[in-house]
Amino acid sequence: MKIFFYDVAVPLPIRHCFTYKSDQLIRKGSRIVIPFGSRKLIGIIVKKIVPDEVIKKDKSIKYIDSVIDQFALFENSIFDTIIWASEYYHHPIGEVFQSFIPTSLRKAKTNIDIDESLVNNSIYEIEEVDKKFGLTSYQSKAVNRLSNLKGFKPALLYGVTGSGKTEVYLRLTEDLIKKKKSVLILVPEINLTPQLLKRFESRFKGEIGLYHSKQTPKKRLNTWLKAKFGKINIVIGTRSSILMPLKNLGLIIIDEEHDQSYRQSDGFKFSARDVGIKRAQEEKIPIILGSATPSLQTLRLVQEKKYKKIDMLTRVDGKAPPRLITMDINNSNMEGGIAEETVDAIKATLKKNEQVLIFINRRGFAPIFQCGQCGWVAECKSCDSNLVYHQNKNRLICHRCESAYLANNSCPECNKKDFYFHGTGTERIEEILSNTFLDTPIIRVDQDSTKKVGSMDKIIQDINSADAAILVGTQMLAKGHDFPKVTLSIILNADNGLISPEINALEKISQLLIQVSGRAGRNNNLAKVLIQTRYPDDINLNKIKTGDYLSFAMQCLSKNKKIGLPPYSAMCMLRCSSPTQKNNINFLNKAVRELNKKSDLSVIGPLPSLISKSKGNFRHNVYIQANQKSQLNRILKRLIKELSDWPESKKVKWTFDIDPIEIN
Ligand code: ADP
Ligand code: ZN
Ligand code: ZN
């Protein structure tokens, strides 16, 4: 009997594969059941190996129990992208596979029947009546140029807000569907999927797939299988859908490519945009990155002619974008973060029967809940973070671990009942404004108000059907939506972004300001954005204020080039956590000593994280910067090999965070 040997990835935080054998020839990317210690695990075949004599005679190598599916879960291009991702992000291979397997296929030995419902190609009929308008000249140029891309070609579709990017996506999809190819479209937030799905469904009669984490595992599996076996050819999803196994994939579209939500920040930390680019390369297909505020990384690659850039510089309605106006609040009367003058501006807008959008970066009522007698501040028991008071629930909630505590009637330290709030969140703004504007609907849009499936859809309907109204919200409100009746947008606290020490703070704040301005004033020439600030003379703020994102971004880019910051250098955080600080420090100090032996690296730390304790564990980081990604990659690979054997590394949990979006 011929025996075959395989490298198998197991769904555990282990950085290498395990060898198993079988008398069957099994394709790479297949799901198998393996004995692992006393357990049975589901593994993925990574490769068939040519055994040497030692392996052949090794009695400890076990047999694979069974092959689960009749097919490989991952075809070559997706398989290779996963291998790349595990190497690029230095993340355990089994866990990377795991992140791209629908939950229902991860543990249970689900058998899949490949029946008619999966394989019969959907027929997409194009609804010509949905094409209500002719394309603008920018749009038709964009469609022309983008549909002529052949092979692996990343292209930035730089379209100002309201320039009609979605229509371009629809036309390109139509083109590919006619050629019997599939299209994958990613948006950064679950909340943006219903609208986009609607746009696609009114253009294409046929089944369109949806994939995001708020769906039931069953629904997700259904989309995944239908994509894999050719039933559906169009999928709209969030970052977890980037490796959707669509048959005959012809194009990937990443809408709002600059958005930080494409970055997964816990577990396997990856950027769906960057994984998407790798996938497009493996599939030899074009990928379109759409944005009105492209990331510096993408702009660098455009500048170096590695990406094409296609412009759409005017709104479809021909109107000018809202003006950005700074408001100096140094001498203003403030209540809960809103200046008196701001309230006046809101009044004037509501009087005209128009809507106001207020952006604030925090949900809840107030981020600090303090005793006025003894100074006690409510803190989470398991994290080093203040509890945020949520008035609606009358709870103090930790925004890190979501633990909720009753808001005490009396202070746990001094027993007095004299609490007050510092800072402002969406709920507080809602309350202040509802006291001032008694008859105006105030619509709050944040994680708390949109928890239920479909709630965002309902909110959008409410906004569109209301006349004068005030919308108060977080990031969610700043992204992608189109609120035609909003003519005044207000940014309550842009200063945090302007003075933040984070590496990409300016990139983020400029994107935010421009994106917020993009929500408003479509169809109105007088729309404006008010930015409350204590730094009205800030150079950066004044540049962003001009509304010319691209030239501001290009300036940031050339500055970063001069001082060697990303995207002109490679960055990584070695993150470590454990129940004792000493273990963290010992481990990281040893890592730093090793790293310092290598030349050309800049290594800082160990330092405590900004939130130095989370869910009961202390957190420390070391920050590593190198000139080249390839150089950093090589050094980390070597370091991981060494540190896996250190006794110090056994006492902590450590991970690498490659291209981090936060350095804290
Ligand atoms: P973007 O994503 O670039 O901000 P959208 O794709 O959301 O813009 O388009 C904004 C609005 O303009 C949508 O309501 C869309 O239906 C409409 N629109 C798109 N193209 C045209 C066009 N050529 N003429 C008129 N309206 C258009
Ligand atoms: Zn007290
Ligand atoms: Zn907590």
Side-chain angles (χ1 to χ4, degrees):
M1 184 171 60
K2 194 162 167 45
I3 302 290
F4 303 96
F5 290 81
Y6 299 97
D7 267 350
V8 173
V10 297
L12 294 171
I14 296 174
R15 274 157 216 278
H16 57 84
C17 292
F18 291 82
T19 307
Y20 281 85
K21 57 190 173 187
S22 171
D23 53 10
Q24 285 183 60
L25 194 55
I26 315 169
R27 283 183 58 192
K28 72 173 184 189
S30 301
R31 270 197 318 162
I32 53 170
V33 181
I34 45 165
F36 193 85
S38 57
R39 292 186 280 173
K40 299 280 180 202
L41 292 179
I42 291 183
I44 299 283
I45 298 278
V46 171
K47 64 172 185 268
K48 183 158 109 16
I49 50 176
V50 182
D52 55 20
E53 289 311 308
V54 184
I55 292 181
K56 277 184 191 164
K57 292 201 181 102
D58 189 343
K59 290 274 181 296
S60 70
I61 295 178
K62 294 186 185 134
Y63 275 98
I64 290 168
D65 280 1
S66 60
V67 181
I68 302 177
D69 311 302
Q70 306 291 314
F71 50 86
L73 219 52
F74 299 107
E75 296 299 329
N76 286 347
S77 53
I78 294 180
F79 181 91
D80 291 345
T81 307
I82 290 177
I83 301 290
W84 170 86
S86 126
E87 286 179 2
Y88 181 80
Y89 292 107
H90 298 279
H91 197 88
I93 173 91
E95 289 190 344
V96 180
F97 272 112
Q98 186 91 342
S99 355
F100 296 110
I101 302 176
T103 19
S104 6
L105 299 184
R106 284 181 199 170
K107 287 205 189 87
K109 206 186 138 183
T110 341
N111 277 322
I112 299 162
D113 295 324
I114 310 170
D115 59 18
E116 296 290 287
S117 75
L118 296 180
V119 289
N120 278 354
N121 267 29
S122 241
I123 311 289
Y124 294 96
E125 270 177 46
I126 319 284
E127 288 284 345
E128 293 296 332
V129 289
D130 186 57
K131 298 177 186 165
K132 295 183 269 298
F133 31 68
L135 298 181
T136 65
S137 66
Y138 275 123
Q139 281 174 322
S140 40
K141 251 186 252 159
V143 172
N144 260 332
R145 293 186 56 194
L146 292 169
S147 58
N148 280 324
L149 297 177
K150 299 265 155 19
F152 172 57
K153 272 280 173 304
L156 165 65
L157 177 61
Y158 170 63
V160 299
T161 48
S163 59
K165 289 187 284 294
T166 314
E167 186 60 34
V168 173
Y169 304 153
L170 288 164
R171 301 287 172 124
L172 293 170
T173 304
E174 176 179 340
D175 194 45
L176 284 152
I177 289 297
K178 284 179 179 158
K179 294 178 186 152
K180 298 265 174 271
K181 297 239 167 113
S182 306
V183 181
L184 174 63
I185 304 129
L186 258 68
V187 289
E189 292 258 346
I190 295 173
N191 282 323
L192 294 169
T193 56
Q195 290 178 334
L196 194 65
L197 184 66
K198 243 181 256 163
R199 296 275 299 270
F200 272 78
E201 282 177 341
S202 32
R203 183 66 49 95
F204 302 99
K205 288 284 165 251
E207 192 174 348
I208 293 171
L210 185 65
Y211 195 85
H212 60 67
S213 59
K214 268 196 192 171
Q215 291 174 301
T216 60
K218 199 173 158 197
K219 276 209 168 126
R220 277 208 298 274
L221 178 63
N222 201 329
T223 302
W224 198 86
L225 291 173
K226 284 182 171 171
K228 184 167 174 65
F229 294 104
K231 173 74 184 169
I232 51 181
N233 304 110
I234 305 172
V235 171
I236 292 170
T238 51
R239 64 172 184 244
S240 57
S241 62
I242 188 62
L243 296 187
M244 181 60 49
L246 280 155
K247 228 174 159 177
N248 225 345
L249 187 64
L251 175 67
I252 301 174
I253 296 170
I254 312 270
D255 193 25
E256 313 290 359
E257 66 88 25
H258 63 278
D259 201 298
Q260 307 272 339
S261 301
Y262 281 124
R263 188 49 215 216
Q264 176 143 307
S265 55
D266 44 40
F268 168 43
K269 302 182 185 68
F270 72 99
S271 149
R273 175 195 59 203
D274 297 349
V275 170
I277 288 166
K278 182 63 193 176
R279 179 175 183 189
Q281 186 183 19
E282 292 293 335
E283 308 254 12
K284 303 185 182 62
I285 57 169
I287 175 166
I288 296 172
L289 310 176
S291 179
T293 52
S295 61
L296 295 190
Q297 180 187 324
T298 297
L299 289 172
R300 175 193 172 173
L301 292 163
V302 166
Q303 203 173 37
E304 293 173 354
K305 306 248 168 353
K306 293 185 177 121
Y307 293 3
K308 273 193 179 330
K309 173 165 165 281
I310 284 130
D311 292 333
M312 301 209 294
L313 303 179
T314 54
R315 291 185 170 212
V316 290
D317 58 15
K319 300 272 160 58
R323 278 175 310 137
L324 294 143
I325 299 165
T326 48
M327 179 196 274
D328 182 351
I329 55 166
N330 282 299
N331 300 312
S332 298
N333 282 330
M334 307 287 290
E335 191 194 353
I338 309 182
E340 215 170 43
E341 296 87 333
T342 304
V343 176
D344 292 340
I346 297 175
K347 254 181 218 155
T349 307
L350 295 174
K351 216 179 227 162
K352 288 187 282 180
N353 232 356
E354 294 165 356
Q355 296 180 346
V356 179
L357 180 157
I358 301 180
F359 173 82
I360 169 120
N361 215 353
R362 192 180 280 107
R363 67 197 165 94
F365 188 82
I368 297 175
F369 185 74
Q370 190 174 32
C371 170
Q373 295 290 321
C374 74
W376 169 86
V377 171
E379 286 170 2
C380 177
K381 290 202 177 81
S382 33
C383 307
D384 165 33
S385 60
N386 292 329
L387 296 175
V388 178
Y389 180 58
H390 284 241
Q391 192 171 46
N392 287 1
K393 301 181 187 130
N394 193 29
R395 288 280 189 286
L396 290 156
I397 296 177
C398 171
H399 284 191
R400 275 216 75 79
C401 68
E402 293 295 322
S403 304
Y405 303 76
L406 266 176
N408 295 342
N409 281 324
S410 54
C411 170
E413 294 283 324
C414 71
N415 256 325
K416 298 269 166 29
K417 198 183 162 183
D418 174 22
F419 292 118
Y420 62 102
F421 310 104
H422 294 288
T424 296
T426 45
E427 283 185 11
R428 190 172 197 179
I429 299 298
E430 185 183 18
E431 183 183 279
I432 292 171
L433 294 175
S434 60
N435 291 334
T436 315
F437 301 102
L438 295 172
D439 304 321
T440 308
I442 299 183
I443 303 170
R444 180 161 56 85
V445 186
D446 58 22
Q447 210 175 302
D448 302 307
S449 73
T450 57
K451 237 181 203 129
K452 274 201 219 110
V453 181
S455 46
M456 186 68 174
D457 242 10
K458 167 88 177 46
I459 287 176
I460 301 276
Q461 275 171 25
D462 289 349
I463 294 173
N464 288 336
S465 59
D467 290 325
I470 303 175
L471 331 178
V472 180
T474 55
Q475 294 288 348
M476 271 181 197
L477 203 51
K479 290 179 185 179
H481 301 287
D482 178 3
F483 303 119
K485 292 180 194 165
V486 170
T487 57
L488 174 66
S489 304
I490 295 160
I491 318 256
L492 289 183
N493 196 353
D495 291 350
N496 275 358
L498 287 173
I499 58 174
S500 156
E502 284 290 344
I503 22 168
N504 52 1
L506 282 178
E507 180 179 353
K508 272 198 267 187
I509 187 71
S510 56
Q511 288 166 342
L512 174 75
L513 294 178
I514 302 292
Q515 289 292 339
V516 169
S517 85
R519 297 313 116 225
R522 303 197 174 175
N523 309 325
N524 189 313
N525 266 334
L526 297 172
K528 59 188 177 194
V529 180
L530 271 188
I531 306 165
Q532 290 194 164
T533 178
R534 294 189 189 276
Y535 310 101
D537 299 325
D538 182 89
I539 295 179
N540 292 312
L541 181 57
N542 280 290
K543 281 182 195 148
I544 300 169
K545 209 172 93 172
T546 63
D548 186 354
Y549 173 81
L550 211 55
S551 51
F552 179 72
M554 294 316 273
Q555 278 176 28
C556 289
L557 206 55
S558 62
K559 221 185 283 164
N560 287 7
K561 187 172 188 176
K562 249 183 233 149
I563 51 181
L565 278 181
Y568 293 96
S569 57
M571 218 180 248
C572 156
M573 302 288 291
L574 172 52
R575 300 188 185 275
C576 151
S577 79
S578 77
T580 53
Q581 306 210 41
K582 205 172 112 234
N583 289 346
N584 288 359
I585 302 286
N586 285 346
F587 166 72
L588 290 176
N589 271 336
K590 187 156 179 179
V592 169
R593 277 197 300 278
E594 283 306 310
L595 287 165
N596 278 334
K597 288 185 197 156
K598 335 259 186 226
S599 56
D600 285 348
L601 281 187
S602 142
V603 183
I604 301 171
L607 293 169
S609 293
L610 186 63
I611 294 176
S612 63
K613 200 179 165 204
S614 172
K615 301 172 194 170
N617 283 311
F618 289 97
R619 296 147 33 100
H620 289 80
N621 304 320
V622 163
Y623 159 98
I624 309 160
Q625 195 183 330
N627 290 334
Q628 301 283 340
K629 288 196 170 178
S630 51
Q631 174 204 16
L632 181 65
N633 197 299
R634 258 196 323 276
I635 291 173
L636 294 184
K637 215 173 189 169
R638 236 182 301 148
L639 180 69
I640 288 171
K641 252 194 200 142
E642 292 165 18
L643 64 74
S644 306
D645 296 329
W646 299 347
E648 288 88 346
S649 69
K650 308 273 187 293
K651 295 183 185 154
V652 297
K653 255 196 181 155
W654 54 271
T655 58
F656 283 103
D657 185 354
I658 307 290
D659 310 328
I661 52 173
E662 277 170 345
I663 54 167
N664 271 305

